[in-house]
């Protein structure tokens, strides 16, 4: 079996190629998804807001910023643009703003989230379902270990 130093070297040998391949695959999928969103006039950031607010209407700006892993200031600028486009409305409730989708935003949410998910499924289709499940398991395990 070898000592722990040898095992560490073997592990290190696969770490960099695995990371490079993961980054390549991520960028290819991201590029395809961004192109699809652009066809419908959305940026990835706008889609993220649409998806989060659509799934949990009435989020506060602070809750949304936390879910998107960005600052409240970044969310404010993004929400300003989306409000101007007629996709969201901010409603003052106490000391915070609650974000809801307009009718146009809800229609866009209903069509674009389904299209987005279908495109992801298409892009991952070269992997059999069991491999997709294994990949999700391994990435979750790595994600949890990095917290």
């Amino acid at each position: 079996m070898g000592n722990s130093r040898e095992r560490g070297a073997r592990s290190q040998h696969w770490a960099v190629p695995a990371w490079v391949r993961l980054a390549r695959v991520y960028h290819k999928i991201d590029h395809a998804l961004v192109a699809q969103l652009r066809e419908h006039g959305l940026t990835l950031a706008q889609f993220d807001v649409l998806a989060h607010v659509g799934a949990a209407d009435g989020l506060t700006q602070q809750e949304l910023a936390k879910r998107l892993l960005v600052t409240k200031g970044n969310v404010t600028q993004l929400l300003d643009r989306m409000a101007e486009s007629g996709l969201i409305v901010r409603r003052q409730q106490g000391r915070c703003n609650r974000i809801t989708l307009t009718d146009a935003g809800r229609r866009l949410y209903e069509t674009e989230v389904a299209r987005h998910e279908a495109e992801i499924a298409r892009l991952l289709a070269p992997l059999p379902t069991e491999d997709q499940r294994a990949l999700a398991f391994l990435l979750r395990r790595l994600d949890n270990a990095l917290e």
Side-chain angles (χ1 to χ4, degrees):
M1 267 271 250
N3 65 33
S4 63
R5 187 173 179 187
E6 288 172 353
R7 283 191 303 274
R10 282 193 306 271
S11 172
Q12 193 174 23
H13 170 76
W14 286 108
V16 173
W19 177 83
V20 168
R21 186 63 62 180
L22 180 63
R24 282 177 49 99
V25 169
Y26 166 79
H27 285 293
K28 286 178 181 182
I29 291 173
D30 186 59
H31 180 75
L33 294 174
V34 166
Q36 180 190 39
L37 292 172
R38 196 174 301 128
E39 288 175 15
H40 302 284
L42 288 172
T43 65
L44 188 55
Q46 289 170 329
F47 175 80
D48 283 345
V49 169
L50 199 67
H52 280 88
V53 175
D57 216 33
L59 285 174
T60 67
Q61 283 187 222
Q62 184 126 6
E63 290 167 335
L64 180 61
K66 186 176 179 182
R67 290 181 185 198
L68 296 176
L69 305 174
V70 297
T71 66
K72 193 175 169 189
N74 288 343
V75 165
T76 299
Q77 293 174 356
L78 182 57
L79 293 177
D80 287 345
R81 287 191 299 274
M82 291 182 76
E84 289 170 10
S85 298
L87 298 175
I88 60 111
V89 174
R90 285 181 259 192
R91 299 191 198 306
Q92 187 74 31
Q93 186 179 44
R95 292 176 34 183
C96 61
N97 284 320
R98 296 231 172 244
I99 305 153
T100 59
L101 297 179
T102 62
D103 289 342
R106 176 65 52 194
R107 283 190 303 275
L108 194 59
Y109 167 80
E110 289 170 0
T111 60
E112 288 309 306
V113 169
R115 287 173 51 86
H116 195 75
E117 289 174 354
E119 182 66 1
I120 291 169
R122 185 190 72 76
L123 292 165
L124 293 181
L127 294 178
T129 302
E130 189 55 39
D131 288 353
Q132 290 180 37
R133 187 176 305 128
L135 178 61
F137 172 79
L138 291 170
L139 291 173
R140 184 179 319 110
R141 202 162 114 193
L142 180 58
D143 186 26
N144 291 339
L146 296 174
E147 288 181 350

